[in-house]
Amino acid sequence: MPKVSITTDYAARDAGIAINSYTTVLRRPRVPHDVFATYWRDVHGPLCSRIAGLGWYVQNHFDREQDAHLWPEVDGIAPFPDYELDGGVEIGFLSADDQGVFNAASSILFADEQNMFAATVAYALPDGSRTLVDRLPDPVPNGDDGIDRIHVHFGAAGTDAKAFGDFMSNFAETLAAEPAVLKLRLHLPQTYDNAEPAPPAPNVDHQVPPERTTIAVVEIAFETPMTRRAFFETEAFRATMDAQKAHIAYASAFAVSGVYTYVRDKTLTIAGLRGSRPAQLIERLGANNQVADDVCDLIRTSSLT
C-alpha cells in the first residue's frame, strides 16, 4: 500500500466516529520508556480493545527526543509550562448507546492505568473530532510509517470557548487546504472540569492547570520534516500569525513516534486482536494464515467453528 495518495482524500472514513475523546498520557516516573511503550502497546492496548461498545481506539506515541522545531514560535504565544507527554489516545464510539456499554465495563481498563501512567486527562468530544484532509491510504496504521506527524496542543487566549473553537476551526481549514499537509485532524473538546476528573482511573492524576482546561489539538502530517519546515515559511502560514496571537495563548507540539490502531468501526484490527508487535511480525513474515478467519475466530472464542 502506498504511503501517500496524491489523488484520493480518505477523510470521510472517520465520519462514523460520532463521539470521541482525546486523552493525554504521561508515563510513571522511573519507568523506562521502552518498558512503558511495550506495556502500553501490547498489554494495555489489547485489554482496551476487547471492551464491548468500543468503535475506535488509536494510540499515538510521542517522542520526547525529537528536535525543537516542530512548530514555529510566535510572539505572544508561549509553550504550556511544565508540559511533558508520552502520548495521546483516541477512544471513540459510533453511538451514545455504544458509549454507555463501554462505560459500564470500563473499570477493568482504568484499573490498569496505574501500572504505567502517572497522569491521564480525558478531554470529551461529544460531537466527535473532525478529519479535514487525509491522503494517507492505510486506515489502520500500526507503527512508524515514515510520515512526519505531530500533535499540536493549543490553549485559548481567553475564556470564550466558542470564539476559540470558531477560530481553531477556521485555522485548521486554512492549513488543511495547503498541498503540503497530508493529514489534518482537529479535536475541539469541551472545557475540562477538574471537579469531574476523567478518566476514572485510580491512583492516577487527572488534574490540569487553568491554561489547559480549554484547549484544541491539531494532528497534522507532512511527508518529511523538510516539507514541514518549508511549509512554515510559506505566505499561507505566515498570514495566520496575527490571528493566532489574538486567539491562542499557549502552543506545545509533540512528535509522533508511532500510530497504533486497535479498533476501527467496531472491528478489531490484528493489533487489537493479537497485540501491536505480534501484528507487525505477522505482516513482516507475510503469515497469511494468522489473519485467516479460522485463526481469528479461534483467538476470539477459543474454539474452532
Side-chain angles (χ1 to χ4, degrees):
M1 178 181 294
K3 292 180 180 179
V4 177
S5 172
I6 60 173
T7 59
T8 304
D9 184 352
Y10 299 92
R13 68 188 172 196
D14 296 341
I17 310 161
I19 300 167
N20 201 22
S21 65
Y22 182 97
T23 301
T24 61
V25 306
L26 176 70
R27 73 178 185 265
R28 291 184 66 84
R30 293 186 296 279
V31 173
H33 182 269
D34 59 338
V35 175
F36 158 81
T38 301
Y39 190 95
W40 188 19
R41 283 175 62 181
D42 292 325
V43 181
H44 188 78
L47 174 64
C48 180
S49 303
R50 305 301 180 89
I51 298 177
L54 188 60
W56 169 245
Y57 175 38
V58 180
Q59 295 179 1
N60 295 276
H61 289 223
F62 295 164
D63 182 357
R64 296 192 187 189
E65 305 304 321
Q66 191 161 331
D67 70 89
H69 298 289
L70 296 172
W71 190 256
E73 294 183 4
V74 178
D75 288 341
I77 301 177
F80 285 103
D82 302 317
Y83 198 36
E84 289 280 2
L85 292 176
D86 292 292
V89 185
E90 288 190 58
I91 290 181
F93 308 92
L94 277 60
S95 70
D97 287 344
D98 285 346
Q99 185 180 31
V101 170
F102 176 89
N103 288 344
S106 62
S107 61
I108 194 172
L109 169 69
F110 296 130
D112 188 54
E113 285 200 358
Q114 61 193 305
N115 291 322
M116 64 201 153
F117 295 139
T120 59
V121 178
Y123 291 91
L125 293 140
D127 297 318
S129 300
R130 182 182 174 197
T131 302
L132 285 79
V133 64
D134 188 355
R135 299 190 184 94
L136 305 177
D138 187 359
V140 290
N142 179 38
D144 178 4
D145 56 7
I147 298 298
D148 181 62
R149 302 173 186 259
I150 60 174
H151 285 205
V152 191
H153 293 204
F154 298 95
T159 58
D160 190 337
K162 183 180 185 306
F164 176 64
D166 290 344
F167 165 74
M168 288 303 307
S169 293
N170 292 331
F171 181 41
E173 290 169 3
T174 298
L175 299 183
E178 295 301 308
V181 176
L182 300 181
K183 180 177 182 179
L184 193 145
R185 184 158 166 79
L186 173 65
H187 308 282
L188 281 175
Q190 291 180 330
T191 297
Y192 188 82
D193 185 356
N194 282 320
E196 298 182 4
N203 304 314
V204 179
D205 185 16
H206 309 298
Q207 300 292 301
V208 302
E211 65 271 14
R212 297 205 325 253
T213 57
T214 302
I215 70 163
V217 177
V218 171
E219 172 191 342
I220 189 167
F222 301 89
E223 189 168 5
T224 68
M226 294 285 286
T227 308
R228 165 169 45 86
R229 295 289 296 278
F231 173 73
F232 295 149
E233 298 299 324
T234 63
E235 181 58 34
F237 185 83
R238 289 185 171 275
T240 69
M241 294 290 199
D242 287 342
Q244 287 188 57
K245 289 186 282 188
H247 294 276
I248 299 169
Y250 301 94
S252 292
F254 302 92
V256 177
S257 60
V259 180
Y260 307 96
T261 310
Y262 296 83
V263 179
R264 176 179 272 280
D265 298 328
K266 294 185 73 171
T267 300
L268 284 169
T269 66
I270 298 302
L273 186 64
R274 306 292 293 273
S276 172
R277 284 176 175 80
Q280 288 179 331
L281 289 172
I282 289 167
E283 181 174 358
R284 181 174 180 178
L285 294 179
N288 289 334
N289 65 298
Q290 291 283 354
V291 298
D293 289 344
D294 57 349
V295 172
C296 291
D297 287 344
L298 176 64
I299 299 297
R300 290 190 184 98
T301 67
S302 298
S303 63
L304 287 171
T305 57

